[in-house]
């Protein structure tokens, strides 16, 4: 009896009413099942197509070359990175503005739940579906372990990177959803920021390399350019798959390879965006009830 009481207390602390309601609404609809099925079908189709194309390019259609499993792992990792970056803004950018448009936000704010609980519950519930989708792709990744060439540590780091990127994009989405009244505008802003993280930082980094080569030639390292590429999710994840990419960017064109960089690009990426995600969540909590705070003054 006492154990049941203790377990209920812990459950009430971990799953508050807002989170419980979001879980029920998101997971008990047919759309959830069909979305999960479509995602797994797309990833499986990419995997089978990649195996077929690799066999055709190597000229060996009877069996799969174990040395090509690493290429397939890279390919699947980037495909999943793109799908996560495409789906996360759509799942998170309307969590607050959607409540506002349905005129249920004021009712939610009158409950005993704090702003912190509401924001974190909305973020966690929206990301839980993405986490479920990513975990469900593990059997597809297990095909590559049959051929070797991939370490479990690499797979674990890649999935941790996925989880971290979901939180970052989700934090931006919740922030725009809190600040902007219209869901459509919040979605556009979140997709714009996500696009800048990929294309914008890559373009800035490429221009920086060209300028550095023209100004200083090949006499100095490009460590400051590596800090620009550390903002790019694709480059950061590639540094997990190939740790040498950090050194190649830092010493590109200089010929110096004596010292190792202090941080890998993915480590610097996590430090930067950990601060930005925490700031976005704090601003979301701060501005969830701006009018109520102004009235108190």
């Amino acid at each position: 009896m006492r154990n049941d009481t203790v377990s209920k207390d812990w459950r009430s602390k971990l799953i508050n009413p807002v989170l419980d309601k979001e879980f029920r609404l998101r997971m008990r609809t047919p759309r959830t099942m069909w979305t999960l099925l479509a995602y797994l079908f797309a990833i499986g189709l990419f995997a089978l197509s990649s195996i077929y194309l690799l066999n055709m390019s190597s000229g060996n259609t009877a069996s799969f070359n174990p040395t090509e499993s690493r290429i397939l792992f890279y390919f699947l990792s980037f495909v999943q990175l793109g799908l996560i970056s495409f789906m996360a803004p759509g799942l998170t950018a309307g969590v607050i503005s959607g409540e506002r448009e349905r005129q249920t936000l004021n009712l939610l704010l009158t409950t005993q739940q704090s702003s912190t609980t509401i924001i974190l519950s909305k973020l966690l519930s929206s990301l839980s579906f993405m986490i479920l989708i990513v975990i469900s792709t593990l059997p597809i990744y297990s095909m590559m372990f049959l051929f070797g060439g991939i370490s479990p540590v690499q797979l674990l780091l890649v999935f941790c990177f996925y989880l971290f990127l979901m939180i970052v994009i989700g934090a931006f989405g919740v922030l725009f959803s809190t600040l902007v009244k219209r869901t459509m505008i919040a979605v556009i802003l979140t997709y714009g920021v996500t696009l800048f993280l990929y294309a914008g930082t890559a373009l800035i980094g490429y221009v920086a390399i060209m300028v550095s080569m023209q100004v200083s030639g090949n006499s100095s390292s490009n460590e400051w350019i590596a800090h620009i590429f550390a903002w790019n999710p694709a480059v950061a994840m590639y540094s997990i798959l190939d740790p040498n990419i950090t050194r190649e960017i830092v010493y590109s064109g200089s010929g110096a390879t004596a010292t190792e960089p202090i941080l890998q690009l993915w480590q610097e990426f996590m430090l930067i965006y950990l601060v930005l995600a925490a700031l976005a969540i704090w601003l979301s909590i701060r501005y969830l009830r701006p009018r109520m705070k102004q009235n108190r003054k």
Side-chain angles (χ1 to χ4, degrees):
M1 187 71 180
R2 183 180 178 184
N3 293 333
D4 294 339
T5 304
V6 172
S7 62
K8 289 181 179 179
D9 291 341
W10 276 105
R11 187 176 182 276
S12 62
K13 292 179 180 178
L14 293 176
I15 302 179
N16 56 66
V18 178
L19 192 58
D20 184 59
K21 172 243 182 186
E22 292 294 327
F23 277 150
R24 293 176 187 274
L25 289 180
R26 287 181 181 275
M27 300 299 180
R28 289 187 176 183
T29 60
R31 187 179 65 178
T32 301
M33 180 192 69
W34 290 114
T35 305
L36 180 62
L37 179 63
Y39 189 88
L40 292 179
F41 179 79
I43 289 291
L45 185 63
F46 275 121
L48 294 178
S49 301
S50 302
I51 293 174
Y52 176 76
L53 292 175
L54 287 174
N55 284 342
M56 291 295 292
S57 62
S58 62
N60 183 12
T61 58
S63 61
F64 185 68
N65 189 352
T67 59
E68 296 170 347
S69 62
R70 178 178 292 272
I71 300 175
L72 178 59
F73 179 68
Y74 288 5
F75 180 75
L76 276 183
S77 298
F78 278 102
V79 168
Q80 182 137 280
L81 181 70
L83 291 175
I84 289 172
S85 302
F86 178 76
M87 294 182 66
L91 290 173
T92 57
V95 291
I96 301 299
S97 59
E99 295 278 358
R100 189 181 291 114
E101 290 176 347
R102 294 190 297 271
Q103 298 182 349
T104 54
L105 181 60
N106 290 333
L107 293 176
L108 183 61
L109 296 179
T110 56
T111 63
Q112 295 180 345
Q113 304 301 318
S114 64
S115 299
T116 303
T117 300
I118 294 173
I119 291 296
L120 293 181
S121 299
K122 289 286 187 180
L123 177 62
L124 180 59
S125 62
S126 57
L127 294 181
S128 61
F129 180 60
M130 283 297 302
I131 296 172
L132 174 64
I133 285 179
V134 171
I135 292 177
S136 64
T137 59
L138 276 174
I140 299 176
Y141 278 86
S142 65
M143 290 192 302
M144 287 166 285
F145 280 101
L146 297 176
F147 304 106
I150 306 300
S151 69
V153 175
Q154 276 186 316
L155 182 63
L156 179 63
L157 286 176
V158 167
F159 273 74
C160 289
F161 187 84
Y162 288 155
L163 177 61
F164 181 78
L165 185 63
M166 289 179 211
I167 295 174
V168 171
I169 297 177
F172 289 143
V174 173
L175 174 62
F176 290 127
S177 183
T178 304
L179 298 179
V180 179
K181 293 182 180 180
R182 297 293 182 185
T183 300
M184 183 60 66
I185 299 176
V187 171
I188 292 173
L189 289 173
T190 308
Y191 273 114
V193 170
T194 305
L195 180 63
F196 176 78
L197 296 184
Y198 284 92
T201 54
L203 180 61
I204 294 173
Y206 177 76
V207 172
I209 288 179
M210 295 296 105
V211 172
S212 175
M213 293 179 66
Q214 289 183 354
V215 172
S216 60
N218 298 331
S219 59
S220 61
S221 67
N222 296 322
E223 187 172 358
W224 62 278
I225 296 178
H227 296 310
I228 298 176
F229 280 107
W231 291 71
N232 190 294
V235 179
M237 197 187 74
Y238 189 73
S239 69
I240 297 176
L241 304 175
D242 184 7
N244 294 326
I245 188 63
T246 304
R247 181 192 294 185
E248 292 176 2
I249 292 177
V250 172
Y251 299 108
S252 60
S254 66
T257 58
T259 59
E260 287 286 342
I262 298 176
L263 293 175
Q264 293 290 329
L265 291 180
W266 66 270
Q267 295 171 331
E268 190 172 347
F269 174 88
M270 288 194 168
L271 289 177
I272 294 171
Y273 285 100
L274 179 64
V275 176
L276 294 180
L279 180 62
I281 292 174
W282 179 79
L283 289 174
S284 302
I285 296 171
R286 170 67 178 80
Y287 289 102
L288 181 62
R289 323 181 188 222
R291 293 182 179 177
M292 296 182 66
K293 291 189 175 181
Q294 288 175 2
N295 292 334
R296 289 177 183 173
K297 294 177 181 179

